[in-house]
Amino acid sequence: MIKVSNLEKIYRTEEIETVALNNVSFEIKEGEFVAMMGPSGCGKSTLLNIIGLLDDMDAGSYMFNGTEVAKFNERKRAELRKQNIGFVFQSFNLIDELTVFENVELPLIYTGVGSADRKRIVDEVLDKIQIAHRRNHYPQQLSGGQQQRVAVARAVVNNPKLILADEPTGNLDSRNGNEVMQLLTDLNEKGTTIIMVTHSEHDARFTHRVINMLDGQIVTQNLKV
């Protein structure tokens, strides 16, 4: 599904040049659940943003489902994101003024799904994520674990091929964190490819493979036993 070769990313200011990613190469197959680990500042989130087409790379190749996407313009990038990628963030990123139903519905509105189909799809997803009983609540009326469930529901409502999760349990206690990890595991077992940035060795045990990063480079790519 994903093949990245010799990827580089450099941030420049007038005073300093920071190499965020240096000659990064890896592949992720369809149906894998992969963790990216390493100390803060090692380039994990930058790499995730490039995979999600939220940030540009300065050099290298990025193949998504056999198509070179490194030089896509913003319109093409947005189209690929809408059709193929769901995002789950540490901070939930829900819209406070919208209900649970309306937050999950948003990606379907962006892709032009009709209102009757939107209602059916959102209801199905809320049921599957076990948050349907909160459909008319607002984010501030939910616990952290419930908010992350809503964020996962929003990420999968368009049935994406790939989910990118950046520290999805970082703001949760252990019980809610385990529930979210089990939710991601269930989605992966149904065929969704997942790439997760995490500092948690506990969370990494849910995945098939760990990519370890240091100073903008991949140092190991371990298959899980």
Side-chain angles (χ1 to χ4, degrees), residues 44-179:
K44 304 185 301 296
S45 292
T46 297
L47 182 54
L48 202 72
N49 286 339
I50 290 173
I51 294 170
L53 298 173
L54 298 173
D55 201 355
D56 292 317
M57 52 201 279
D58 291 317
S61 169
Y62 173 17
M63 305 285 289
F64 187 94
N65 277 344
T67 300
E68 176 61 66
V69 299
K71 302 300 182 185
F72 271 19
N73 61 30
E74 183 49 44
R75 183 184 61 79
K76 283 187 173 182
R77 289 148 66 98
E79 197 63 29
L80 188 145
R81 280 196 304 268
K82 283 192 295 186
Q83 294 177 356
N84 295 280
I85 304 175
F87 297 89
V88 180
F89 301 98
Q90 176 178 349
S91 56
F92 315 137
N93 284 9
L94 301 176
I95 298 174
D96 287 340
E97 293 77 22
L98 300 182
T99 64
V100 165
F101 184 96
E102 291 165 341
N103 267 281
V104 176
E105 182 186 34
L106 268 182
L108 298 174
I109 293 173
Y110 293 150
T111 50
V113 177
S115 60
D117 286 335
R118 289 202 308 270
K119 183 181 185 309
R120 174 182 56 79
I121 294 168
V122 173
D123 283 342
E124 287 174 0
V125 169
L126 292 178
D127 248 357
K128 182 166 68 174
I129 305 297
Q130 296 179 0
I131 197 72
H133 60 296
R134 300 290 190 185
R135 68 195 307 278
N136 295 319
H137 287 68
Y138 292 89
Q140 61 269 28
Q141 297 174 305
L142 306 178
S143 69
Q146 290 170 335
Q147 288 187 61
Q148 195 60 297
R149 279 186 175 272
V150 177
V152 172
R154 183 185 57 192
V156 303
V157 73
N158 267 333
N159 196 26
K161 296 181 177 70
L162 174 67
I163 289 179
L164 302 179
D166 195 352
E167 299 282 1
T169 67
N171 284 337
L172 304 178
D173 60 32
S174 59
R175 182 179 65 82
N176 282 306
N178 280 333
E179 287 183 2

